[in-house]
Structures are given as C-alpha cells and as structure tokens.
Amino acid sequence: MSKKYSYIGVSFIILLFGIYVVRNIDSRVEKDELIQDNRLNKVDKNSKKTSSLYTFNKVPDFEFINQDGKVITNKDYKGKVHVVEFFFTTCPTICPIMNQKMLTIQDEFQGNENFGIASISITPEIDTPEVMKEYAKVYKITHPNWHLLTGQPEEIVYALSNKGFKLFAGKGEEDHGGFEHSGLFALVDKEGNIRSRKDKFGNPIMYYRALKEQTFPDQIKELKEDIKILLNE
C-alpha cells in the first residue's frame, strides 16, 4: 500500500515540474529571452519566430576607395543589407560570370537604398579608381550603393579576404590571370554580421555559390530570397 502511495507521490511531483517548465518557457518567449541555435539567433518578441538565417561573425573593419574616388568603410554599409565579393578587373575566368550574376541582384534591388554591394579588388595596383570607374561603365553598374573598392596593399586585402571573411584570395596560375579567389558571395545584415541559410541537413551554408560547381547549381535565387528576409528584419 505504501509503495502505491509512493508512486502516486512521485507522479505528482513530475507533473508539477512539467507545469513549471512549460510556464517558464512561455515566459521566456514572451520576454524575448529564448535563444535557438546560437546566442545571436533570438526569437523576435513581435513575430515570435526565430530568424531562418544563421548568424556568423561580424565583418572586420575596412577602408577603401571606390570608383568615384570616395573613401568607403564598413560603416558606410551600416543599416544596409549587402553582398560582398572579392574580384579583379583583369580576371579572365570567373569574375565576368560572377559580376553578371551580381548585376541580376542589382536589378532586383535597384531602387532599395537599404541594399548595397561591396566588390573588393585583390589587385589594387592594377585596379585604380579610374580603372574601376571604366569597369562600372562597361558592366552597367548603376546602383548608388554598389562600390568597387580598391586602394589597400595586397597583403591587407588578402588578410581581409582569408582571415576576415574566410574567402580564399591569393596568387594563382597564369591561366587565371595570375591570381585566384573564391567564386562565393557573402551576405551581410544591417548590423554587419555575415548571415546564411541552412542546407537540407540543417547546416549553415555560410556563403552563396555564384558559379555552377559540377552537379551543383548556383545559389543566386536563394541569395535574393535571403536578402529580402534580412531587409525585413
């Protein structure tokens, strides 16, 4: 008989504990304290939905000269969702393809002042502001927040690419114009954080493919969709 009452007592305690946990979770959601995946992916207290885009590290500080001879820093992108690429104007292989894809992104968000693009040269000695200006004319780059950036020594650009963005850039084969770089685009939110969607297995992709890779298509459609998500955050 005493064993039966003991089981009843344990069950009652478990029930009370369960009620407490559920009420505590509801309270944390209401107060915007519930965090999923990492400490930066927080439940929005208005929408009650967690952002579908994963948050990585902040973009490091940088300072360059754009195609109009104006000094541009990462602070100029504050409050703007933007896409970052590393390229060079004399690239004979992937850069023309990448920037044709980037033009479709420009066209999609042409009238949006809260959107921008940063195209950073990995050959600053060649890519002067004057060269960048001509490149912008040839490619019909017209969005006021699309800056073609140059003016820093190679080693600083390589450090920004390889260590800051973790996108490869460096010396390469002559077939590639003597330099190599990633065919990926980085998506950055209004606060300067690198963001990305997750793949079908729930893993963050980190960057978006600008090029087709073997059996994998590019991810420009997905990138446009995720830009819109960040613009609405």
Side-chain angles (χ1 to χ4, degrees):
M1 196 69 176
S2 60
K3 184 179 290 187
K4 177 180 179 181
Y5 286 125
S6 176
Y7 287 146
I8 293 173
V10 171
S11 299
F12 183 68
I13 291 171
I14 292 173
L15 176 62
L16 288 177
F17 179 74
I19 293 172
Y20 169 78
V21 170
V22 170
R23 291 184 64 183
N24 187 46
I25 290 174
D26 287 342
S27 174
R28 290 174 67 197
V29 170
E30 184 65 28
K31 295 177 181 178
D32 192 20
E33 294 176 352
L34 186 62
I35 299 174
Q36 298 180 5
D37 291 331
N38 65 35
R39 298 187 66 184
L40 295 175
N41 290 338
K42 187 179 288 186
V43 173
D44 183 272
K45 61 184 177 182
N46 295 318
S47 68
K48 298 296 187 294
K49 292 181 180 178
T50 302
S51 172
S52 59
L53 300 185
Y54 194 86
T55 303
F56 296 93
N57 56 290
K58 275 190 176 293
V59 170
D61 293 343
F62 61 76
E63 181 178 306
F64 291 98
I65 306 295
N66 76 355
Q67 67 268 35
D68 297 315
K70 180 181 177 182
V71 175
I72 299 293
T73 75
N74 54 295
K75 293 179 182 178
D76 289 287
Y77 289 96
K78 179 75 172 177
K80 296 178 177 63
V81 177
H82 54 288
V83 179
V84 178
E85 67 166 344
F86 290 85
F87 87 115
F88 59 110
T89 60
T90 55
C91 173
T93 54
I94 67 174
C95 293
I97 301 171
M98 291 173 67
N99 281 326
Q100 286 297 335
K101 301 288 179 68
M102 195 72 90
L103 284 170
T104 71
I105 298 172
Q106 169 187 256
D107 294 344
E108 184 89 11
F109 301 97
Q110 181 62 261
N112 198 317
E113 62 183 15
N114 295 319
F115 174 74
I117 299 170
S119 297
I120 302 172
S121 171
I122 65 170
T123 58
E125 291 185 2
I126 298 171
D127 293 335
T128 63
E130 294 75 20
V131 169
M132 295 291 222
K133 186 77 170 180
E134 185 60 29
Y135 189 89
K137 289 180 182 178
V138 171
Y139 275 82
K140 296 181 172 57
I141 293 171
T142 57
H143 196 295
N145 295 330
W146 186 346
H147 301 291
L148 305 179
L149 301 174
T150 188
Q152 290 289 0
E154 268 182 13
E155 57 270 21
I156 291 179
V157 178
Y158 291 166
L160 178 66
S161 180
N162 294 315
K163 296 179 181 178
F165 282 90
K166 298 178 175 62
L167 290 170
F168 173 74
K171 302 291 185 181
E173 301 294 330
E174 288 302 319
D175 290 348
H176 297 282
F179 298 88
E180 290 184 1
H181 59 91
S182 147
L184 301 171
F185 292 155
L187 174 60
V188 184
D189 67 17
K190 296 174 185 176
E191 300 301 317
N193 301 302
I194 298 173
R195 303 284 292 275
S196 86
R197 66 170 50 199
K198 299 175 184 178
D199 63 20
K200 62 182 180 181
F201 302 108
N203 301 311
I205 64 172
M206 194 160 189
Y207 304 112
Y208 296 78
R209 287 191 304 273
L211 310 169
K212 294 181 180 180
E213 295 179 4
Q214 298 177 354
T215 60
F216 296 102
D218 68 43
Q219 295 172 308
I220 302 304
K221 176 177 176 291
E222 290 82 356
L223 177 55
K224 291 176 181 177
E225 291 172 353
D226 295 345
I227 290 170
K228 291 174 183 176
I229 289 174
L230 294 184
L231 285 170
N232 289 324
E233 279 192 348

